[in-house]
Amino acid sequence: MTPFRIAIVGAGIAGLACARDLLEAGLAPVIFDKGRGIGGRLATRRAEDGLQFDHGAPCVMATDAGFAEVLRQAEVDGAAAPCPTETGGFVGLPGMSGLARHLGRGVEIRTGVAVGAVTGDGDGWRVICGDRSQVFDRVILTLPAPQILRLLGTDHSLTADVGADLDAILDVVRIDPCLTLMAAFAGYSDAGPCPPDLRQITLDSAKPGRDRRLQAWVAHATPEFSRRHLEREMTEVAGLMLPMLCASIGRAPAEAVHAVAHRWRYAQVDRALGRPFVTGPSGGLYLGGDWCLGPMAEHAWTSGRAIAADILRN
Ligand SMILES: Cc1cc2nc3c(=O)[nH]c(=O)nc-3n(C[C@H](O)[C@H](O)[C@H](O)COP(=O)(O)OP(=O)(O)OC[C@H]3O[C@@H](n4cnc5c(N)ncnc54)[C@H](O)[C@@H]3O)c2cc1C
């Protein structure tokens, strides 16, 4: 008998949660991710001199007992530790992406593979990556909603299975951008109040298991600032954000030994769809991710698990 072929596009927490449950049920999903590593917005950027920055989610928190158990198990396995500044929060070890790698253990993950399109193909779904393609019985797309829509194209008759829902997604879902600064300094300083254009400042090097030779800071801009400057060169954005961070931590921009900006075009969900996933009558194509339920990693995890449960049920 031909094995049941399942592809997941996106090795963020939604795709990984889905894959884990399918794997534990005896199926063999394959994940495709365009990134060099896995984790999506649970991200860690490494730089010179042992510097590292969690430039996506700074920590994660559980309200759901199942997700709390995942974090507790990750802690037991040395892939997570309690967050020193957020009561009830956890950080990944050695960086946030460590938590993703823990979730992805045992799963077949093809990194560095950008999926360009997904189209219906007989009873299955064709996943197209450059000049290569492969047909699967089930395809699960767990990218930010606007990226999913681009993957499926504008001709919704080709994806009639979920076509009616695509317009609803466009109408409802809103995801804020976030410009992020990663900066490092020698010596010691403390964060003061957040300047008006910054939403959050995190001293990453104070997290458990991090290199403390330099102070590594991550500053997330507000959605309004991010929208205003989204299309600028990242060197310009770093030039704008560094003085703001410095104002808060009492340093001079010239003292920074590292200052790099990152653009999250789709960072945190402002308005979610309000249901855990989208699928059509055939149940062959699934769309999921945090944008279905809310702004936190836990929402992505819940969406991924709900898709796995639906596939296993059917
Ligand atoms: C700045 C910032 C701060 C945040 N703060 C918090 C917080 O404090 N607490 C919290 O819980 N959450 C926070 N979040 C949100 C949290 O990170 C997300 O909700 C969660 O990680 C989303 O997971 P996901 O699997 O839905 O999507 P993603 O993590 O975005 O995963 C999608 C994956 O798809 C891949 N991909 C995209 N296009 C393609 C393609 N064409 N082909 C192949 N692969 C593709 C990407 O590389 C990515 O790995 C924050 C996020 C950001 C960016």
Side-chain angles (χ1 to χ4, degrees):
M1 200 171 86
T2 337
F4 197 64
R5 302 157 302 175
I6 305 178
I8 299 173
V9 185
I13 194 161
L16 294 167
C18 180
R20 274 241 70 71
D21 283 358
L22 295 175
L23 191 72
E24 281 167 14
L27 297 170
V30 181
I31 306 189
F32 297 89
D33 199 290
K34 68 176 179 183
R36 269 192 299 146
I38 69 169
R41 281 169 277 163
L42 291 191
T44 306
R45 173 81 62 86
R46 295 197 163 70
E48 66 283 353
D49 298 331
L51 271 176
Q52 69 174 56
F53 304 88
D54 295 327
H55 58 307
C59 77
V60 292
M61 219 174 268
T63 55
D64 171 284
F67 193 53
E69 177 52 25
V70 167
L71 296 178
R72 197 199 61 79
Q73 190 55 53
E75 184 184 5
V76 169
D77 295 341
C83 178
T85 51
E86 264 326 309
T87 312
F90 277 82
V91 298
L93 292 175
M96 286 307 283
S97 57
L99 192 53
R101 284 195 297 279
H102 183 258
L103 271 179
R105 63 201 188 281
V107 178
E108 182 182 345
I109 304 177
R110 300 186 195 159
T111 52
V113 182
V115 172
V118 173
T119 57
D121 189 298
D123 288 340
W125 296 90
R126 185 171 290 278
V127 174
I128 304 166
C129 318
D131 54 5
R132 308 177 76 163
S133 72
Q134 202 175 338
V135 175
F136 292 87
D137 301 299
R138 297 283 180 275
V139 171
I140 302 140
L141 306 179
T142 61
L143 328 174
Q147 294 179 329
I148 290 186
L149 298 171
R150 274 201 292 281
L151 216 66
L152 295 177
T154 47
D155 183 355
H156 296 168
S157 63
L158 295 175
T159 44
D161 206 33
V162 293
D165 283 301
L166 297 182
D167 295 324
I169 292 170
L170 272 176
D171 279 349
V172 174
V173 175
R174 296 281 177 272
I175 307 180
D176 285 332
C178 181
L179 291 171
T180 299
L181 176 72
M182 297 162 268
F185 298 82
Y188 183 82
S189 44
D190 250 338
C194 236
D197 286 330
L198 295 185
R199 186 170 56 86
Q200 191 172 17
I201 296 175
T202 309
L203 179 54
D204 254 32
S205 49
K207 291 177 178 173
R210 273 40 170 197
D211 193 317
R212 299 202 200 295
R213 281 174 294 170
L214 291 169
Q215 276 198 315
W217 294 90
V218 176
H220 291 309
T222 58
E224 296 72 31
F225 177 94
S226 302
R227 249 179 234 111
R228 227 169 29 246
H229 301 289
L230 198 61
E231 303 309 333
R232 286 194 179 213
E233 293 292 328
M234 286 303 104
T235 46
E236 282 183 81
V237 171
L240 289 175
M241 291 184 70
L242 184 59
M244 301 195 285
L245 170 67
C246 286
S248 166
I249 64 174
R251 308 296 290 254
E255 290 179 71
V257 296
H258 179 98
V260 170
H262 178 84
R263 178 196 295 119
W264 293 105
R265 199 173 283 285
Y266 307 108
Q268 272 194 286
V269 175
D270 177 44
R271 206 162 71 199
L273 186 65
R275 53 193 162 116
F277 59 85
V278 171
T279 190
S282 84
L285 180 65
Y286 287 83
L287 318 181
D290 58 352
W291 54 271
C292 290
L293 293 171
M296 311 303 262
E298 181 174 12
H299 295 122
W301 180 84
T302 305
S303 168
R305 291 206 72 196
I307 293 174
D310 197 71
I311 290 175
L312 295 172
R313 209 171 22 246
N314 293 307

